Amino acid sequence: MIVVLNKESIPIDKEQDVVLFRNRVKEYTIKIGMGVVNQTKLITAASELVRNILKYAGKGTVLIEIISSGRQNGIRLVFSDKGPGISDVPLAMKDGFSTGKSLGLGLPGARRLVNEFDIKSTVGKGTTVTILKWKNG
Amino acid sequence: MDKIPILRFGHFLLVTIQVDLYDRLALNLESDLIQMVSKTQARGVLIDISALSIVDSFMGRIIGNIAGMSKIMDAQTVVVGMQPAVAITLIELGLELKGVYTALNVEKGMSLLQSKISLPDEDLDNIE
Amino acid sequence: MDLFKALSKKRSRLLELWMQYQLADISLREDLMENEELRAQSEELLDAFLKAVTDKNVENVDDPTYEPIIEILSGISISRARQGYSPKETGNYVFSLRDAILQVWQAEFSNDLAVLFAATLKLNKLFDNLGIITFETFIKGREEVILRQTDEISEISTPVIRVWDNILALPIIGTLDSSRTQIVMENLLQQIVDTGSSIAILDISGVPAVDSLVAQHLLKTVAATRLMGAECIISGIRPEIAQTVVHLGIDLSNIITKATLASALKQAYNMLQLEVRKVQK
Ligand SMILES: Nc1ncnc2c1ncn2[C@@H]1O[C@H](COP(=O)(O)OP(=O)(O)OP(=O)(O)O)[C@@H](O)[C@H]1O
Ligand SMILES: [Mg+2]
């Protein structure tokens, strides 16, 4: 069973928010004593997803949660926007797929960097990506 | 801070990235650096990222762009001082920084550049 | 009448009896703890006990008034687990306090057997609960010891050796799974930074089998090393491993591989433009 110990919601609407948001996530990782490598993986994944919000939806919010399950602690981030949505999610999850003339690494790369990854998207309604990284994951 | 200082050492340029960059600042760096390469006829560019704790695909692309553009202008780029956690993360992310040389520190980066570039002898003396 | 409250007046007698019981336990190890220390510890717990327990809350260990007792008890049993006490020794420590209390009660209240009996039942129930808490934390303490040892083992089994200026060697012995590879990789990369070494040799002659997952881990390690600006040579490739690698269709062509650590070292010298020569006499 997963228990939420702490949560905070952060609005994202301009590029300066990226670095501020990353620092906030870092504070949380330090709070639960996550090691440097896992910290870096989580923050990098978070950075990719928050950039997608800015690039494709313009604005959105991120929910940061400290969670606990059994003896494990971890951090869960929920990125949501009310942007255009993604018509073909499996395609968007493929390495190298990009509608933004970019590398197409953000989504698939973020998935590789975390322990759990979930994406839900409806065209015209928006996109929600949830990632979870365990302290020792 | 709205500009990242670019230092000149003989035929090389050195940029030390001290903070996590805002996107605009990173894009500025890209164009400033390319201007400098052209103005100074530099043959090599060293980008010291030892103080960077996060390199995402955006930052990776900027570094790749700098390397690509420099190459067209006959200069080689070396990224130096990448932290272990950043290296592990970039590999997992899938970003290999192709076409970019890497070195452990500025000193090693300098000698790598020197070995990659054939400089006339007198010029080499000037660098020391 | 509250028999539990009445105990406060008998503090010194209780402590004396309890110490006697503890010391009578032949398995008590002088090597593990000084008597003085044992006394101080017992006094602390006894005081917390006398302060908290009354006839009203004796049946409810979850009551906040029990927090100090539980805290002290947990601390004691965790530290005992770490010091290598047996569960029996730790259990005796707690249960002998009950025996001391019973003895004091019997001396004081033997004229009112009904009250004594009721209180004894409650006391037993209470100590059952305290016993459970003791063992739970004792086991937790043991688990921590085991976890720490596991960490130590995986660190010991991946030593990074500085074989020469600028050259590191990392002999890997045993199976490489994902978590171990992560430790190996982090260890290696950190050592590369710390020593400023530009070449790392990963020797896998002690790895029993290389499947595609292990190969992938190795490839990642090499790639990360290169991103940092160092070069990685893989040595100790036995014929069986070469066979499986090719059969599995794993592409190692971008990696410098060598059959033995010696030939990897030679290659490393080469790359650093070093030469090993016999001295001319
Ligand atoms: N929040 C979002 N809203 C709408 N579309 C999105 C969103 N996130 C991703 N996408 C779509 O999924 C595609 C793949 O995203 P991904 O992050 O993997 O690559 P990218 O952003 O194009 O490139 P990179 O992240 O490597 O710079 C995007 O090109 C875009 O079409
Ligand atoms: Mg993206």
Side-chain angles (χ1 to χ4, degrees):
Chain A
M1 195 189 61
I2 287 183
V3 189
V4 178
L5 300 179
N6 193 337
K7 61 165 98 183
E8 177 182 350
S9 176
I10 294 184
I12 302 291
D13 55 19
K14 52 190 175 305
E15 95 191 17
Q16 280 91 329
D17 293 339
V18 175
V19 173
L20 292 178
F21 162 72
R22 289 199 314 218
N23 290 342
R24 201 83 190 103
V25 176
K26 181 162 195 155
E27 283 167 26
Y28 278 90
T29 60
I30 290 169
K31 201 185 264 176
I32 68 164
M34 192 182 272
V36 180
V37 174
N38 282 339
Q39 261 181 43
T40 311
K41 286 182 176 175
L42 175 66
I43 298 168
T44 307
S47 186
E48 295 296 335
L49 297 171
V50 92
R51 282 188 194 290
N52 280 354
I53 289 186
L54 287 170
K55 189 165 168 185
Y56 301 109
K59 63 183 171 50
T61 52
V62 189
L63 182 68
I64 310 179
E65 293 175 322
I66 297 183
I67 58 169
S68 162
S69 165
R71 24 176 62 230
Q72 280 261 63
N73 278 353
I75 290 185
R76 182 164 61 195
L77 304 173
V78 184
F79 301 80
S80 30
D81 66 61
K82 296 193 169 63
I86 303 170
S87 55
D88 188 342
V89 172
L91 186 62
M93 288 304 300
K94 284 217 168 81
D95 272 317
F97 175 82
S98 172
T99 60
K101 293 209 188 70
S102 192
L103 303 171
L105 283 180
L107 289 176
R111 171 155 69 183
R112 284 189 290 267
L113 291 170
V114 297
N115 299 118
E116 278 166 44
F117 182 100
D118 179 62
I119 176 165
K120 293 205 168 52
S121 189
T122 314
V123 174
K125 287 246 164 64
T127 305
T128 303
V129 181
T130 306
I131 59 176
L132 190 164
K133 184 101 190 148
W134 295 114
K135 180 179 156 186
N136 304 315
Chain B
M1 189 170 84
D2 58 354
K3 250 193 173 8
I4 296 161
I6 303 171
L7 299 178
R8 188 178 164 189
F9 285 92
H11 293 270
F12 305 144
L13 300 179
L14 170 67
V15 191
T16 305
I17 302 180
Q18 298 281 12
V19 288
D20 285 336
L21 296 183
Y22 289 124
D23 297 8
R24 186 122 328 128
L25 204 58
L27 289 167
N28 283 349
L29 173 67
E30 184 180 306
S31 56
D32 290 355
L33 202 52
I34 297 308
Q35 298 287 339
M36 273 291 262
V37 169
S38 137
K39 209 165 72 192
T40 62
Q41 305 268 297
R43 303 292 312 279
V45 176
L46 288 151
I47 307 177
D48 181 358
I49 60 165
S50 54
L52 269 194
S53 59
I54 300 290
V55 175
D56 62 1
S57 66
F58 176 81
M59 197 57 209
R61 200 166 54 239
I62 299 274
I63 293 172
N65 288 350
I66 291 172
M69 296 170 191
S70 305
K71 198 160 214 162
I72 300 175
M73 301 194 321
D74 199 25
Q76 306 291 342
T77 304
V78 183
V79 169
V80 304
M82 185 184 293
Q83 289 178 16
V86 172
I88 294 171
T89 300
L90 282 184
I91 294 302
E92 211 69 58
L93 188 64
L95 204 71
E96 287 164 52
L97 295 184
K98 286 211 178 78
V100 182
Y101 292 111
T102 53
L104 286 175
N105 49 44
V106 174
E107 202 189 331
K108 292 200 166 165
M110 288 265 187
S111 42
L112 179 66
L113 277 178
Q114 272 157 8
S115 72
K116 295 284 173 206
I117 300 161
S118 45
L119 293 173
D121 283 350
E122 349 81 84
D123 286 358
L124 259 178
D125 292 340
N126 289 342
I127 296 164
E128 311 290 1
Chain C
M1 182 164 37
D2 188 338
L3 265 60
F4 292 92
K5 275 226 150 105
L7 286 172
S8 292
K9 287 191 217 87
K10 295 279 165 196
R11 180 184 179 276
S12 54
R13 173 78 182 130
L14 268 175
L15 186 61
E16 186 192 327
L17 277 171
W18 186 18
M19 291 307 295
Q20 263 174 32
Y21 284 135
Q22 288 185 52
L23 296 172
D25 179 4
I26 39 159
S27 65
L28 188 83
R29 315 219 205 143
E30 295 216 14
D31 55 317
L32 290 177
M33 205 191 292
E34 296 289 329
N35 276 350
E36 286 300 306
E37 206 183 325
L38 188 63
R39 196 181 178 88
Q41 203 179 64
S42 306
E43 242 174 311
E44 194 191 359
L45 182 60
L46 180 63
D47 286 338
F49 185 93
L50 294 177
K51 197 163 164 228
V53 185
T54 65
D55 199 51
K56 282 195 195 62
N57 67 11
V58 64
E59 277 156 314
N60 183 14
V61 208
D62 296 329
D63 196 271
T65 45
Y66 277 88
E67 270 163 23
I69 300 183
I70 291 172
E71 200 171 295
I72 295 169
L73 200 56
S74 306
I76 291 174
S77 59
I78 281 199
S79 78
R80 284 184 172 225
R82 285 191 195 126
Q83 290 169 54
Y85 279 85
S86 72
K88 180 172 173 240
E89 287 163 326
T90 309
N92 274 339
Y93 170 75
V94 180
F95 292 127
S96 56
L97 173 59
R98 178 188 54 193
D99 297 342
I101 293 173
L102 281 177
Q103 180 149 355
V104 168
W105 277 350
Q106 267 161 20
E108 295 277 312
F109 305 106
S110 51
N111 47 359
D112 196 345
L113 282 178
V115 172
L116 183 59
F117 181 68
T120 306
L121 278 184
K122 287 178 186 169
L123 185 73
N124 279 337
K125 192 96 194 113
L126 174 63
F127 270 87
D128 286 348
N129 282 322
L130 295 181
I132 290 169
I133 292 166
T134 309
F135 286 121
E136 256 178 6
T137 40
F138 185 83
I139 289 169
K140 217 189 254 163
R142 275 293 167 86
E143 273 169 3
E144 276 168 20
V145 172
I146 293 169
L147 282 178
R148 204 188 55 228
Q149 284 170 343
T150 316
D151 281 355
E152 275 166 12
I153 290 169
S154 40
E155 249 163 59
I156 293 167
S157 58
T158 56
V160 181
I161 304 157
R162 204 173 169 181
V163 282
W164 201 263
D165 227 23
N166 272 315
I167 307 173
L168 293 178
L170 199 158
I172 304 174
I173 294 155
T175 311
L176 265 184
D177 57 15
S178 306
S179 69
R180 181 122 185 273
T181 315
Q182 179 149 345
I183 295 170
V184 168
M185 175 149 61
E186 285 182 39
N187 217 347
L188 179 68
L189 299 191
Q190 194 54 53
Q191 290 288 327
I192 288 175
V193 176
D194 293 349
T195 61
S197 303
S198 42
I199 299 176
I201 303 172
L202 219 60
D203 187 84
I204 59 167
S205 39
V207 176
V210 173
D211 56 13
S212 52
L213 202 65
V214 172
Q216 223 167 40
H217 289 322
L218 289 174
L219 287 169
K220 279 184 192 166
T221 309
V222 173
T225 316
R226 284 188 181 154
L227 265 187
M228 288 178 46
E231 189 50 78
C232 191
I233 305 172
I234 297 191
S235 72
I237 313 244
R238 286 174 281 123
E240 313 88 270
I241 290 185
Q243 261 180 318
T244 32
V245 163
V246 171
H247 284 160
L248 289 170
I250 301 163
D251 182 12
L252 294 183
S253 59
N254 282 322
I255 296 183
I256 313 172
T257 49
K258 293 283 164 200
T260 62
L261 185 60
S263 47
L265 199 53
K266 215 176 204 167
Q267 167 85 16
Y269 285 150
N270 236 327
M271 289 160 72
L272 294 172
Q273 290 158 341
L274 294 172
E275 213 182 348
V276 181
R277 268 186 304 151
K278 202 169 209 157
V279 182
Q280 298 290 333
K281 290 256 163 100

